[in-house]
Every structure is written in structure tokens, then in C-alpha cells.
């Protein structure tokens, strides 16, 4: 049974069998405790089931009380024995969190029953808390290991040991070097551990080695301990790495082969069109050429999006939205799309990657223009409060593809819900990557891009994050 309260709250004590008043006055110091007296062993055990911090008992039933409590609980028990029974003292001493006190000991001037009871309860609280923490560690999906200053394991949860193909007991006392190939051991000793000692933490990837010799990629988070050892949190990233490799190969093959093969097809279609004047033949060929051109355009767009999103690091910078949006809208308008800009408050800025933000705006405008039944004017408006900035992109009479937004919001394509292109996915990925969010408002025929605001002076100089 867990403690009824905890170190920061009053204790709950139960007294049983004190017909002779042995405890009278000796618990007066427990002003922060609830002390209840119970008349029967059954009633006492019911109280233990409900939650108690300590049981104090005396009399001939003391052993029965202890046996009853210990049958299912670890609740501390203090047995005060007036008979001085050696056998009873031995039975009591077999149990942890249990204290045997001869009655005459209570009269010693140097003995404080309240103090020893508090110490007994505090020890139980500490042990219970440790058990809870240990249970949490053991149930964690991440592998967690603790090493001493010599690099030997003093603790490893089941998940940690299993990653390497061991049982927990097999790792205790073993050195970490046995879990890594020689190249990684050198890397740890020359690079990783010096960084850990210097900075206190280290996070990165490494190559582990299982008991059967198989090597696997892992993600590690290391943290120094005061005694010179360290804690290691481990994640096996084999599946993630394989997934990323498959995606990279598929992306490269599809983009490369799609462009090449489609270009060849377009060439043959063009040759065929030059060889015939028959309308019955030319019509399907023209359709094939248009569809092919659209597909090639999609491939080029995918390549551009991939390059923008897959850069090693974004180039975030404070962006003065009024000036940035004015330039972006002018560029869009110059391409033939009627676009207007309505300025927001002075010195409104966000932290963003300018190239990525420019591409996001252009893609949102393209989506809205394509959703309009006829030529439409797109209006871009900047609105802001103390914490955030909203960039509204609205097109009159645009019939927004709400089902496509629903697919993107859901975050996955399904047989029943799928989008027609990748533009909205790019808008979502890029906006989230820059710390923002995307919302669709069908009532306003528009899309809202929201970002955290950074404070600025009147001249646009960034001061600090809001």
C-alpha cells in the first residue's frame, strides 16, 4: 500500500490495543497528524487498505496485527511490548519498516517515540518514492542506463538491456565499451565523453552492437552525474533510419525518372503531332501533351519544395512583414495575378526563413486563384496583437477546396480522403517548420498563416521575443 499522504502533508496514524494508555501523551507532538484509535484487528486492516502512514500497536495481539498488515502492505508498524518477549522481538525485526520497542524504553529520557516514528515514516516515504521512480524507469519505452565513474553499469532498465540483446542482470558491472564496435569506442573516448564532461550533456547518434554482433544505429542523450558517472537515454532508430532511406531513394528515383521519362514521352508526342493532321489523332495527342506538361510541372514543384524544406538549416531572421509582404505581393502581381496588400501595424516582425515564407505565400495565392471560377483579386493583409501575427490571404469568390484542407489538417492521405496536389502539404510543412500554423476560413474565402511575433522598435529593429 502506498503512503496515505506524503512528506509535505500531515501523517495519518492508527493506534490499536492501547487499553493501558501506553501511548497517552507520547503522541502529543504529532500536531500535524491525524491519530485514530481502532478497536479490532479487522477494523485496523480496513484502515490500512484505505491508506495509513503508520500503525502503532501494543498488547498480546501485536504479532497478529503485524502479520495481518504485512500480508498485503508495507505500511510502517511500531510494536510496543510490555512483556519483553524475545520471540516477538525477533518476529518483528524480520520485517522492514517495523520497529520493536519494549515498554520500559519509553520511560528513558533519551528516547522520543514521536521522533523515531517520524523517522520510520520518512524512510518509508523515501523507499516508496524510489519504488515509484524505479517502476517508471522500468516501464519506459526508452532505454535508460546509469553508469558509474568507471564507465560500468549500475542500472539498466529492461528496454535498455533488450536493445543490445541482454537481460538487465547481464549488464550490471559491465563496461560500456562492450556494447560498441572499436571505431565507436574511439569516437566516444576522443569526442563524445570529453564533450559530456565539459558541457554536462551530450545528444547525438552512434552505432551500437548487440550481443550477437549485429550493429544498429541509436540516438543517445547523456547527462553527467555529481559522482562522475552519467545517465544514458537510448533510442533504437533503425526503423526510422530505414524509413528515411526508403523515402530518399523513392523521392530521388521518382523525381529523376519522372522528369526524364516524361520529357521523352513529350518528345514522342510532339513528333507524332508533326506527322499527322487527322483531328481524331491530334486531339488525344494534345491532351496527352497537356497532361504531361502538368505532370512535369508537378515534378519541378516537388523538387523546389524538397530543396526548400530539406536544407541542412533554415536561415531564420527577423522579417519586417509590412516591407516583406509589399515586395512579395508586388512580385506576384508582376507575374499577372491581380494582388493587393493592406499593411498592418508599424514594426510588425516575425522570426522566419525569408525564402521559405515567400514560397509559402506564392503557393497560397496559387491555390486561391485556381479555386476561383473567374479572374479574382487576391488581398494580403497583416494583422497583429501583442503575441502573434496573422497573414490573411483572401480571394473573392474563390471556392476553396475544403476537403483538401481537411486532408492536410488530418495529416495523412487515406483511400477516402486524398488531395490532388502537394501545394497545401508544402504550405503546412513549411509554416509549421517556421513555428506557425495554417487555418482555412471558408466564410472569408481565405487562408490565415499565424506566427509568433517578435517585438520591434519603430524602425523595425528587433528587441526580443514577445
Amino acid at each position: 500500500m502506498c503512503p496515505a499522504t506524503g512528506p509535505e502533508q500531515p501523517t495519518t496514524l492508527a493506534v490499536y490495543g492501547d487499553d493501558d494508555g501506553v501511548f497517552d501523551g507520547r503522541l502529543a507532538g504529532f500536531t500535524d497528524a491525524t491519530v485514530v484509535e481502532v478497536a479490532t484487528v479487522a477494523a485496523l486492516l480496513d484502515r490500512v487498505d484505505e491508506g495509513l502512514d503508520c500503525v502503532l500497536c501494543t498488547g498480546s495481539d501485536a504479532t497478529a496485527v503485524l502479520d495481518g498488515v504485512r500480508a498485503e502492505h508495507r505500511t510502517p508498524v511500531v510494536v510496543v511490548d510490555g512483556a519483553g518477549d524475545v520471540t516477538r522481538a525477533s518476529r518483528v525485526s524480520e520485517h522492514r519498516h517495523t520497529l520493536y520497542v519494549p515498554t520500559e524504553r519509553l520511560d528513558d529520557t533519551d528516547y522520543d517515540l514521536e521522533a523515531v516514528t517520524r523517522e520510520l515514516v520518512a524512510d518509508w516515504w523515501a523507499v516508496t518514492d524510489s519504488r515509484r521512480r524505479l517502476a517508471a524507469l522500468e516501464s519506459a519505452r526508452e532505454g535508460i542506463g546509469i553508469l558509474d565513474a568507471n564507465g560500468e553499469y549500475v542500472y539498466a532498465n529492461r528496454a535498455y538491456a533488450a536493445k543490445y540483446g541482454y537481460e538487465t542482470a547481464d549488464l550490471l558491472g559491465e563496461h560500456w565499451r562492450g556494447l560498441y564496435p572499436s571505431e565507436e569506442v574511439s569516437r566516444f573516448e576522443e569526442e563524445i565523453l570529453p564533450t559530456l564532461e565539459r558541457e554536462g550533456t551530450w545528444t547525438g547518434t552512434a552505432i551500437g552492437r548487440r550481443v550477437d554482433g549485429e550493429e544498429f544505429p541509436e540516438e543517445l542523450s547523456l547527462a553527467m552525474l555529481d559522482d562522475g558517472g552519467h545517465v544514458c537515454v537510448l533510442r533504437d532508430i533503425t526503423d526510422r533510419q530505414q524509413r528515411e532511406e526508403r523515402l530518399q531513394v523513392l523521392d530521388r528515383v521518382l523525381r529523376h525518372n519522372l522528369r526524364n521519362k516524361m520529357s521523352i514521352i513529350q518528345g514522342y508526342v510532339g513528333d507524332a503531332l508533326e506527322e499527322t493532321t487527322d483531328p481524331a489523332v491530334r486531339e488525344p495527342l494534345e491532351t496527352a501533351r497537356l497532361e504531361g506538361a502538368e505532370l512535369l510541372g508537378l515534378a519541378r514543384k516537388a523538387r523546389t519544395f524538397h530543396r526548400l524544406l530539406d536544407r541542412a538549416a533554415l536561415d531564420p531572421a527577423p522579417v519586417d512583414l509590412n516591407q516583406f509582404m509589399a515586395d512579395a505581393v508586388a512580385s506576384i502581381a508582376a507575374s499577372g495575378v491581380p494582388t493587393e496588400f493592406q499593411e498592418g501595424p508599424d514594426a510588425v516582425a516575425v522570426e522566419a526563413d525569408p525564402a521559405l515564407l515567400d514560397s509559402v505565400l506564392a503557393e497560397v495565392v496559387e491555390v486561391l486563384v485556381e479555386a476561383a471560377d473567374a479572374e479574382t483579386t487576391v488581398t494580403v493583409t497583416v494583422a497583429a496583437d501583442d503575441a502573434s501575427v496573422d497573414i490573411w490571404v483572401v480571394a473573392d469568390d474563390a471556392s476553396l477546396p475544403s476537403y483538401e484542407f481537411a486532408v492536410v489538417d488530418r495529416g495523412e492521405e487515406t483511400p477516402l480522403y486524398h488531395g490532388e496536389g502537394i501545394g497545401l502539404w508544402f504550405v503546412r510543412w513549411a509554416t509549421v517548420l517556421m513555428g506557425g500554423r495554417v487555418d482555412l476560413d471558408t466564410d472569408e474565402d481565405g487562408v490565415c498563416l499565424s506566427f509568433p511575433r517578435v517585438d520591434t522598435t519603430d524602425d523595425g529593429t528587433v528587441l526580443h521575443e514577445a
Side-chain angles (χ1 to χ4, degrees):
M1 185 69 190
C2 294
T5 53
E8 305 300 326
Q9 300 182 6
T11 53
T12 304
L13 312 177
V15 175
Y16 169 78
D18 191 21
D19 297 333
D20 298 330
V22 172
F23 296 117
D24 289 352
R26 300 186 189 279
L27 303 178
F30 276 105
T31 57
D32 60 343
T34 299
V35 181
V36 295
E37 293 191 17
V38 291
T40 66
V41 174
L44 175 64
L45 296 180
D46 286 342
R47 294 302 297 260
V48 173
D49 288 338
E50 295 171 2
L52 283 175
D53 294 301
C54 190
V55 172
L56 297 98
C57 63
T58 186
S60 59
D61 288 341
T63 302
V65 169
L66 177 61
D67 290 343
V69 173
R70 286 292 174 266
E72 295 184 9
H73 305 292
R74 297 187 178 92
T75 307
V77 177
V78 176
V79 175
V80 176
D81 185 13
D85 189 320
V86 175
T87 301
R88 184 177 299 163
S90 178
R91 285 282 307 281
V92 171
S93 300
E94 292 176 356
H95 299 279
R96 192 174 182 183
H97 307 306
T98 307
L99 182 65
Y100 178 85
V101 184
T103 303
E104 61 270 19
R105 184 79 171 92
L106 298 178
D107 297 324
D108 292 349
T109 57
D110 64 343
Y111 192 81
D112 187 339
L113 180 63
E114 177 198 342
V116 297
T117 301
R118 287 187 183 279
E119 184 178 345
L120 187 68
V121 171
D123 180 62
W124 183 49
W125 276 336
V127 170
T128 301
D129 186 57
S130 296
R131 286 197 181 99
R132 286 170 174 164
R133 294 174 185 271
L134 181 60
L137 292 176
E138 286 299 321
S139 62
R141 295 179 61 183
E142 293 85 359
I144 302 173
I146 302 177
L147 298 89
D148 61 19
N150 296 321
E152 296 176 352
Y153 287 97
V154 296
Y155 171 79
N157 69 355
R158 289 188 293 271
Y160 190 97
K163 299 294 185 186
Y164 296 99
Y166 291 93
E167 297 292 333
T168 295
D170 297 332
L171 283 185
L172 301 184
E174 296 297 322
H175 200 280
W176 63 265
R177 294 191 192 95
L179 304 182
Y180 294 92
S182 58
E183 298 83 359
E184 284 295 83
V185 170
S186 299
R187 178 169 167 253
F188 269 90
E189 294 177 337
E190 296 172 6
E191 301 175 19
I192 297 174
L193 294 182
T195 300
L196 176 63
E197 293 177 4
R198 183 175 62 254
E199 300 182 4
T201 60
W202 182 87
T203 300
T205 59
I207 301 297
R209 184 175 60 194
R210 307 189 205 278
V211 65
D212 60 3
E214 178 189 0
E215 297 182 357
F216 67 98
E218 59 184 22
E219 183 179 77
L220 299 177
S221 295
L222 309 179
M224 285 292 295
L225 297 174
D226 293 339
D227 62 3
H230 66 269
V231 176
C232 175
V233 178
L234 163 73
R235 298 176 186 84
D236 183 344
I237 57 174
T238 301
D239 291 343
R240 187 176 77 188
Q241 188 177 79
Q242 290 177 345
R243 214 165 34 242
E244 290 174 351
E245 289 176 354
R246 289 196 298 268
L247 288 173
Q248 288 173 0
V249 170
L250 288 172
D251 176 72
R252 185 177 65 252
V253 169
L254 285 176
R255 285 190 292 114
H256 180 267
N257 288 6
L258 178 63
R259 290 196 310 273
N260 288 352
K261 297 296 184 182
M262 204 66 239
S263 295
I264 294 172
I265 292 172
Q266 288 286 81
Y268 280 121
V269 170
D271 292 343
L273 283 169
E274 292 180 358
E275 296 297 328
T276 181
T277 58
D278 185 349
V281 176
R282 292 187 63 83
E283 184 175 347
L285 287 176
E286 288 288 0
T287 300
R289 184 165 63 175
L290 289 174
E291 294 291 340
E294 184 176 331
L295 194 56
L296 278 173
L298 181 62
R300 285 192 293 270
K301 181 178 287 189
R303 185 181 184 187
T304 300
F305 291 166
H306 185 275
R307 185 172 61 251
L308 285 167
L309 293 171
D310 200 41
R311 286 182 297 176
L314 290 174
D315 185 19
V319 176
D320 181 341
L321 280 186
N322 283 326
Q323 184 60 53
F324 182 88
M325 286 298 161
D327 294 341
V329 167
S331 177
I332 293 172
S335 68
V337 178
T339 312
E340 298 177 352
F341 174 58
Q342 297 179 359
E343 287 192 5
D346 291 339
V348 174
V350 297
E351 193 84 8
D353 179 83
L356 206 54
L357 183 57
D358 186 71
S359 296
V360 166
L361 179 64
E363 191 61 32
V364 171
V365 169
E366 182 175 329
V367 168
L368 294 177
V369 169
E370 289 180 353
D373 293 332
E375 184 174 304
T376 184
T377 297
V378 178
T379 302
V380 179
T381 305
V382 173
D385 57 26
D386 291 339
S388 63
V389 178
D390 292 340
I391 304 170
W392 277 97
V393 188
V394 177
D396 295 334
D397 301 322
S399 178
L400 293 173
S402 57
Y403 68 93
E404 289 209 35
F405 275 88
V407 170
V408 173
D409 281 340
R410 188 177 294 107
E412 63 176 346
E413 301 263 2
T414 70
L416 294 179
Y417 300 98
H418 60 87
E420 297 297 329
I422 62 172
L424 289 178
W425 284 104
F426 167 73
V427 169
R428 179 176 183 265
W429 293 333
T431 303
V432 171
L433 193 59
M434 292 185 290
R437 72 175 191 274
V438 183
D439 294 303
L440 167 68
D441 190 331
T442 53
D443 293 333
E444 296 292 338
D445 297 327
V447 175
C448 181
L449 308 173
S450 300
F451 297 93
R453 179 177 180 175
V454 292
D455 284 350
T456 61
T457 62
D458 289 339
D459 64 358
T461 303
V462 174
L463 297 176
H464 58 80
E465 291 188 357

